[in-house]
Amino acid sequence: VKEIRDIGYDVITQKQSFPVTNMTCASCAISVESISKSQVGVVSASVNYANSEALIEYIPGVLDLNALKSAIQ
C-alpha cells in the first residue's frame, strides 16, 4: 500500500477497533499485533493491552473480517 501511495495513487482503507479478550500480559498484545499484521489485507495494526483493544487499518474487500476476528481471539 505504501508503495502504491508513494507513486501517487490512493488505496482506500478503513480503520476499525476490535475487542481482544484473554490477554494476560504485554507479550500477548505483541503476539496479537503480529498475527493481525500477517493477515492478508491488513495495512497496520496496533494493540493496546490496557484497553484490550486492537486498532486495525485494512483494505475492505481484501481482508476477511471473520478470519481476523478468529485469529485475534
Side-chain angles (χ1 to χ4, degrees):
V1 172
K2 181 184 179 321
E3 290 84 10
I4 293 170
R5 288 179 173 162
D6 285 348
I7 60 172
Y9 294 96
D10 193 25
V11 176
I12 296 171
T13 61
Q14 279 186 277
K15 287 186 180 180
Q16 187 171 344
S17 294
F18 296 92
V20 182
T21 57
N22 300 322
M23 283 196 296
T24 57
C25 63
S27 292
C28 293
I30 292 169
S31 179
V32 170
E33 192 170 296
S34 177
I35 290 167
S36 299
K37 288 178 179 178
S38 72
Q39 301 296 306
V40 174
V42 172
V43 176
S44 66
S46 176
V47 178
N48 186 316
Y49 168 65
N51 294 341
S52 297
E53 183 177 85
L55 179 61
I56 310 294
E57 181 182 9
Y58 63 95
I59 302 170
V62 175
L63 175 66
D64 180 348
L65 290 176
N66 291 323
L68 174 66
K69 289 177 187 177
S70 294
I72 64 175
Q73 290 302 322

